[in-house]
Amino acid sequence: MSKWVYRFGDGAAEGRADMKNLLGGKGANLAEMASLGLPVPPGLTITTEVCTYYYANGRTYPDTLESEVNQAVAAIEKSVGARFGDEENPLLVSVRSGARVSMPGMMDTVLNLGLNDKTVEALAKQSDNARFAWDSYRRFIQMYSDVVLGVDHYHFEELIELHKEEKGVDLDTELDAEDWRQIAEGFKAKAQEELGYPFPQDVKEQLWGAIGAVFSSWHIERAKVYRKLNNIPEDWGTAVNVQAMVFGNMGETSATGVAFTRNPSTGDKEYYGEYLIDAQGEDVVAGIRTPQYLTKMAREEAGATAPSMEESMPAVFGQLADVFDKLERHYCDMQDIEFTVQHGKLWMLQTRSGKRTAKAALKIAVDMAAEGLIDEKTAVLRVEPGALDQLLHPTLDPDAPRDIFTRGLPASPGAASGIVVFDADTAEEMAKEGKAVILCRVETSPEDIHGMHAAKGILTARGGMTSHAAVVARGMGRPCVSGAGQLRIDAKNGVMSATGREVKAGDTITIDGASGEVMVGEVKTLQPELAGDFATLMKWADTYRKLKVRTNADTPHDTQTAREFGAEGIGLCRTEHMFFEGERIVAVREMILADDLEGRKSALAKLLPMQRSDFEEIFKIMRGLPVTIRLLDPPLHEFLPREEDEFEDVAKSIGADVEHLKRRAAELHEFNPMLGHRGCRLGITYPEIYEMQARAIFEAAITVEQKTGDTVVPEIMIPLVATRKELETLRAYVETVAEEVFTETGHRVEYLVGTMIELPRAAICADRIAVAADFFSFGTNDLTQTTIGISRDDAGRFLDQYVKQDIFAQDPFVSIDQEGVGELVKMGAERGRSTKPDLKLGICGEHGGDPASVEFCHRTGLDYVSCSPYRVPIARLAAAQAALKG
Ligand code: ADP
Ligand code: MG
Ligand code: MG
């Protein structure tokens, strides 16, 4: 028989930390903490399998669930010494959701469940604190109505505001027991008015209502959006935790808080967090009251006056610090913790691995390895490759002038400039148009996630360092400034103001998530620091990885950047970009529009020295590392003149007539250029183009070898090959040119000739093509286009829907479609090596910098991946992780 319910509490538990799949992250860790002997209020976890059952069986529960829950509740009652629904000594519980991985703010917790008109009186009497009892009851009515019954919380907030106005007070803390009683009555009436039936008084009905709401919430829209963005499978389901309440709202000796065992922003080894005295649950993150700092040091650094927990509750703070250390030693990772203090007694309500910035992830991994908590391999596995992106990008130039508009909390590092947008939908739309936007909100909620994702940065007027905006932004790697207290946002009128100035929607601002500053206009940025922890971790990564990492670069600048990021060669140097620069384009156009071979040759002769000097520079920078140069690939018409004066320039240069040139240009029109006269087809029809390029490459290689003494081994790559014959023909041209140059200069260089595998036919015929190739480079951009039959330039219109409707798990241009395109890569690799075992294999599509695709390349046995310069470190780390995961 299945077991649907697991218990925890009183120093023991049926579950464990490694049972997250069954118990959810929260439940598994509550169990683990209980077993460790930490003070955890007793409770029960209903497994994720019940969630699966619930959806598979028309939203019903397994037969035995109710009796299992009843038994577990009886155990809680016994442990606490109170009874659920008892009119003298009532047990109150929280009902908490918990998926395998935390989904911040996705499913709301209901606190103080078990209160009704009778039990609230009992609680008042028993605690001798009527204010506390009524405060708890009104919270319960509000939360339950909102989360379970669907009555929007603003109805209730309005009533509190009204009451405060009538009484002439500003703060919740100024309301007394009688006020809260009246408010609770008002809430009940409001709920009834909205619902058409009375607020439920039966505690069992309350309990099952809340349990059902947690399971149903797995399928609400914002939860789905979050799962989509974070690649969390739909079928995981959530667990439900029912736990005895402890109260942080019992007066001055009670409190509630959230903490990290290290600084999640910088990674520094210091306790970090916030707490509130006489408060409950999510008050700390809700931004209603301003939370206080945990440590004296943090308070002093911030120049805050409200006492830190270290100062106001030194004894409990000491216990909390012990718990932090114990949990870190136990989990060997930085923990994100939720706790409550009831009458001076500490209770632990949650622990999990804390989300952190890339900078913090690096520092914590390197520090923990140094502290002996983890080994180097674990350290390498601890940093998410994609997150390195945050570190590789610019920060504000400290010397650049700044026009400070306002300040907030440094909630997620990185600097970003963009235009001001006040709502998530607009942010998404503008980002789609290619605009950089900064999303500015009073505070964010899970409904804003798509806009936060689309934005370059996030600014909020409210909320602390652990607010929704801060947590989500750090997770996404977006710079964020939160809690900019002086900022007034008037979204309706498209304007925000601070210190007497206004900024309107559409104006440019810059935010610095590392300092909390918000500036008017754009501020100059600086390149990141790549020494220190970053270098240490990358060095470790390099010792474990098997894949080499090269870069896609075709300018000296990109080549230099890539080398600094650790590129071990160039995997793709596109030659066409070089054709657009300055005067060259005129010569290129001459060549294309020439009527005959002679005309083309004379234009190519002009291009030769330019190409040669391009390659010389790149070879010099790469200092003997392999450089793969792809011969001309795009359809010629991409280079054609369009404007009148462009035609005139070419006409003048070759003494031809403009009208004639226009006719030639029209002849070059293609209906589907992507499948047209491009790639090696150009080499077949106009061998002189590839011959010129080959000559430029060999001459440059020889010059650089002679000048620097470094060995240069150019790898010449022929694009868009579909047949062995194409490659053989073109290879022969290249070899002929090579011999010519070697004879002319009296100097030989080693070189390779290979091909891109970017057509399905090439992958299928890879065994035959390999006969003529020294290497293959999988061009997965074109291979994706030609395999799926979608063009990258046109896919935008439907790809979104394809991803939303789960037809594609991910954009196949971002992460390689492993079961389709990936199969062709595998086939190409296997077949290629079947005829040429030492065939060198690489990938040079955008996928080379996508961690999941890198892992795929490792498993497929490629020799290297090649990606854009900024993604080189990401690929290095991803390759190491792939190797470590085996
Ligand atoms: P989330 O997943 O949104 O963090 P939680 O289930 O952790 O939701 O609940 C939010 C907050 O509610 C907790 O941080 C804690 O302050 C409070 N809470 C939950 N359960 C209890 C409980 N049994 N006693 C006291 N407070 C609780
Ligand atoms: Mg929540
Ligand atoms: Mg929590």
Side-chain angles (χ1 to χ4, degrees):
M1 208 180 71
S2 293
K3 178 173 169 60
W4 306 109
V5 174
Y6 286 70
R7 299 181 204 168
F8 57 86
D10 297 321
E14 294 176 325
R16 286 187 318 268
D18 61 9
M19 291 164 71
K20 290 199 178 64
N21 293 356
L22 188 65
L23 303 178
K26 201 177 286 169
N29 284 328
L30 282 168
E32 189 83 7
M33 284 200 292
S35 300
L36 283 174
L38 297 179
V40 176
L44 62 95
T45 303
I46 303 174
T47 68
T48 56
E49 284 172 356
V50 176
C51 188
T52 310
Y53 181 102
Y54 179 78
Y55 283 108
N57 292 278
R59 304 202 176 208
T60 59
Y61 299 119
D63 288 342
T64 51
L65 180 66
E66 189 175 340
S67 69
E68 280 190 54
V69 169
N70 287 341
Q71 282 170 28
V73 169
I76 301 174
E77 290 174 328
K78 192 155 166 243
S79 161
V80 177
R83 294 195 49 197
F84 194 50
D86 193 278
E87 292 179 10
E88 275 168 22
N89 186 15
L91 168 72
L92 304 191
V93 295
S94 64
V95 176
R96 320 170 64 187
S97 66
R100 288 189 208 183
V101 294
S102 85
M103 295 174 47
M106 285 297 126
M107 284 170 281
D108 284 327
T109 295
V110 176
L111 302 179
N112 310 328
L113 190 142
L115 280 175
N116 57 27
D117 294 351
K118 298 261 172 51
T119 54
V120 68
E121 300 284 5
L123 187 67
K125 199 150 137 213
Q126 192 197 34
S127 64
D128 196 20
N129 187 341
R131 183 184 188 278
F132 150 71
W134 286 103
D135 175 45
S136 301
Y137 193 26
R138 67 91 192 174
R139 286 173 189 268
F140 170 58
I141 299 168
Q142 176 170 359
M143 273 187 264
Y144 193 89
S145 300
D146 179 16
V147 177
V148 180
L149 305 175
V151 182
D152 213 314
H153 54 90
Y154 80 84
H155 287 300
F156 302 107
E157 271 147 28
E158 226 169 54
L159 287 177
I160 299 183
E161 288 313 309
L162 267 175
H163 195 96
K164 282 199 267 188
E165 244 169 61
E166 275 169 22
K167 202 181 173 187
V169 299
D170 288 331
L171 300 175
D172 286 9
T173 42
E174 293 170 285
L175 297 176
D176 61 22
E178 180 52 24
D179 292 318
W180 287 124
R181 193 189 62 73
Q182 286 174 16
I183 289 171
E185 292 299 338
F187 278 11
K188 268 196 309 172
K190 188 80 210 172
Q192 180 157 8
E193 183 188 323
E194 291 296 316
L195 294 165
Y197 56 86
F199 185 83
Q201 294 287 314
D202 177 347
V203 297
K204 283 246 157 102
E205 182 189 337
Q206 293 174 355
L207 179 62
W208 286 97
I211 293 170
V214 173
F215 286 136
S216 311
S217 71
W218 181 255
H219 271 188
I220 57 176
E221 201 49 39
R222 60 185 197 194
K224 287 189 192 167
V225 170
Y226 186 87
R227 287 199 286 276
K228 190 91 252 173
L229 285 174
N230 292 279
N231 298 320
I232 299 172
E234 285 291 304
D235 60 8
W236 276 8
T238 179
V240 182
N241 301 288
V242 178
Q243 187 178 29
M245 283 299 301
V246 288
F247 301 98
N249 57 336
M250 279 189 141
E252 290 302 303
T253 56
S254 300
T256 183
V258 297
F260 291 84
T261 54
R262 304 193 183 207
N263 185 319
S265 217
T266 61
D268 289 340
K269 194 167 175 358
E270 64 195 17
Y271 305 136
Y272 178 95
E274 295 167 331
Y275 82 113
L276 272 175
I277 290 179
D278 195 12
Q280 191 176 41
E282 305 215 311
D283 289 0
V284 175
V285 291
I288 297 165
R289 276 165 61 191
T290 304
Q292 292 157 234
Y293 290 92
L294 214 58
T295 63
K296 181 161 178 269
M297 196 179 81
R299 177 187 68 75
E300 283 171 350
E301 262 174 29
T305 48
S308 66
M309 183 170 175
E310 188 173 6
E311 294 158 301
S312 69
M313 304 183 158
V316 188
F317 177 80
Q319 290 166 22
L320 188 60
D322 288 343
V323 171
F324 288 169
D325 296 346
K326 189 164 184 177
L327 285 175
E328 262 208 4
R329 276 199 310 276
H330 182 71
Y331 284 97
C332 299
D333 196 6
M334 185 257 270
Q335 295 296 297
D336 169 357
I337 287 163
E338 296 172 12
F339 64 91
T340 282
V341 179
Q342 174 176 337
H343 281 322
K345 173 159 173 51
L346 176 68
W347 291 97
M348 301 308 298
L349 293 171
Q350 191 168 342
T351 191
R352 62 187 161 199
S353 283
K355 283 200 197 310
R356 59 205 81 180
T357 62
K359 184 175 171 202
L362 261 181
K363 179 157 175 56
I364 291 170
V366 173
D367 283 356
M368 285 192 166
E371 291 161 28
L373 273 180
I374 56 176
D375 59 17
E376 283 178 15
K377 286 184 189 171
T378 309
V380 167
L381 287 166
R382 279 285 167 84
V383 180
E384 202 212 314
L388 289 181
D389 221 13
Q390 292 176 46
L391 293 181
L392 307 174
H393 283 288
T395 48
L396 288 186
D397 178 351
D399 299 328
R402 301 174 187 205
D403 177 6
I404 306 272
F405 174 54
T406 189
R407 279 193 175 80
L409 301 171
S412 176
S417 299
I419 56 175
V420 170
V421 164
F422 292 113
D423 71 280
D425 290 341
T426 314
E428 191 177 50
E429 278 161 31
M430 307 268 260
K432 270 201 189 128
E433 289 168 18
K435 298 208 174 89
V437 303
I438 306 290
L439 179 63
C440 305
R441 304 281 291 157
V442 174
E443 57 200 330
T444 63
S445 74
E447 279 90 359
D448 293 323
I449 283 182
H450 61 293
M452 299 173 75
H453 196 72
K456 291 273 183 260
I458 295 137
L459 168 63
T460 70
R462 284 209 227 141
M465 300 287 288
T466 49
S467 66
H468 178 265
V471 171
V472 173
R474 282 198 294 269
M476 286 180 178
R478 297 291 182 282
C480 175
V481 173
S482 70
Q486 299 186 327
L487 188 64
R488 294 284 161 275
I489 295 186
D490 178 359
K492 224 190 283 159
N493 294 305
V495 59
M496 60 184 180
S497 58
T499 50
R501 293 170 75 183
E502 286 196 343
V503 167
K504 296 201 179 58
D507 292 352
T508 297
I509 60 167
T510 299
I511 63 167
D512 182 356
S515 72
E517 285 172 346
V518 180
M519 287 131 292
V520 175
E522 196 172 329
V523 179
K524 195 170 158 239
T525 49
L526 278 189
Q527 294 308 311
E529 169 62 62
L530 300 177
D533 295 331
F534 177 79
T536 306
L537 193 90
M538 292 313 286
K539 201 178 76 203
W540 294 343
D542 288 346
T543 61
Y544 298 114
R545 74 185 153 89
K546 303 272 184 319
L547 277 172
K548 295 254 178 215
V549 177
R550 298 194 192 179
T551 191
N552 300 348
D554 41 54
T555 64
H557 176 262
D558 281 0
T559 308
Q560 188 60 47
T561 309
R563 278 227 59 174
E564 281 156 21
F565 284 145
E568 298 165 293
I570 291 184
L572 175 63
C573 174
R574 302 176 173 92
T575 49
E576 55 268 22
H577 292 174
M578 302 170 171
F579 278 22
F580 278 106
E581 266 173 46
E583 305 156 35
R584 301 171 180 202
I585 186 67
V586 179
V588 172
R589 287 171 176 161
E590 261 181 66
M591 168 193 76
I592 299 170
L593 296 172
D595 291 318
D596 51 19
L597 181 63
E598 279 320 300
R600 268 197 301 281
K601 279 199 167 159
S602 95
L604 284 165
K606 293 186 198 165
L607 285 170
L608 175 66
M610 304 184 207
Q611 279 260 277
R612 190 169 51 217
S613 76
D614 292 334
F615 296 142
E616 277 176 23
E617 279 204 65
I618 288 172
F619 290 148
K620 265 187 221 153
I621 297 170
M622 291 320 279
R623 305 217 44 187
L625 295 174
V627 175
T628 308
I629 296 168
R630 180 176 73 186
L631 301 186
L632 195 65
D633 181 40
L636 292 182
H637 81 115
E638 280 191 14
F639 302 101
L640 284 178
R642 277 170 241 267
E643 309 296 330
E644 190 67 26
D645 58 329
E646 292 173 347
F647 275 107
E648 278 164 14
D649 283 348
V650 183
K652 223 184 314 161
S653 165
I654 50 173
D657 157 56
V658 169
E659 286 315 307
H660 176 71
L661 290 183
K662 283 190 178 161
R663 261 196 315 281
R664 274 291 291 152
E667 281 165 25
L668 285 164
H669 171 78
E670 290 182 315
F671 286 103
N672 191 346
M674 197 190 74
L675 302 178
H677 192 184
R678 55 167 287 213
C680 67
R681 300 158 195 173
L682 293 170
I684 298 287
T685 48
Y686 303 129
E688 55 282 5
I689 299 180
Y690 277 15
E691 282 165 0
M692 179 280 283
Q693 293 196 296
R695 176 169 280 275
I697 292 168
F698 291 123
E699 289 180 356
I702 289 168
T703 309
V704 173
E705 274 204 4
Q706 287 175 333
K707 271 198 198 145
T708 64
D710 292 327
T711 334
V712 181
V713 184
E715 302 182 353
I716 297 178
M717 182 154 80
I718 316 280
L720 215 75
V721 160
T723 69
R724 169 174 163 180
K725 196 72 198 263
E726 284 168 321
L727 185 59
E728 276 173 353
T729 308
L730 296 169
R731 182 180 187 111
Y733 295 154
V734 171
E735 283 170 351
T736 309
V737 173
E739 289 309 319
E740 275 169 29
V741 177
F742 297 162
T743 316
E744 285 161 25
T745 56
H747 188 108
R748 300 187 76 84
V749 292
E750 248 185 81
Y751 66 95
L752 305 178
V753 180
T755 179
M756 295 193 61
I757 301 292
E758 51 189 336
L759 294 174
R761 190 184 198 283
I764 294 164
C765 303
D767 48 347
R768 279 142 285 168
I769 292 173
V771 174
D774 302 321
F775 66 88
F776 281 174
S777 177
F778 291 92
T780 49
N781 297 345
D782 264 314
L783 192 59
T784 299
Q785 302 203 84
T786 51
T787 300
I788 307 180
I790 54 177
S791 109
R792 188 158 50 151
D793 304 322
D794 300 314
R797 302 213 186 120
F798 54 86
L799 214 50
D800 259 12
Q801 277 302 316
Y802 266 63
V803 174
K804 268 195 194 122
Q805 296 185 31
D806 235 354
I807 298 170
F808 291 146
Q810 276 187 78
D811 180 338
F813 291 109
V814 172
S815 199
I816 196 165
D817 156 38
Q818 298 193 14
E819 62 177 27
V821 178
E823 266 316 290
L824 282 173
V825 172
K826 254 193 224 160
M827 180 190 290
E830 279 161 17
R831 294 192 178 177
R833 280 187 173 151
S834 73
T835 46
K836 192 168 272 184
D838 60 348
L839 189 70
K840 212 197 259 195
L841 298 175
I843 179 178
C844 62
E846 294 297 309
H847 300 112
D850 166 65
S853 310
V854 171
E855 190 180 334
F856 169 81
C857 293
H858 170 85
R859 275 187 295 158
T860 309
L862 302 194
D863 297 301
Y864 69 86
V865 297
S866 187
C867 55
S868 61
Y870 274 97
R871 301 201 73 88
V872 166
I874 297 173
R876 284 162 70 195
L877 185 55
Q881 294 188 353
L884 287 173
K885 286 178 198 158

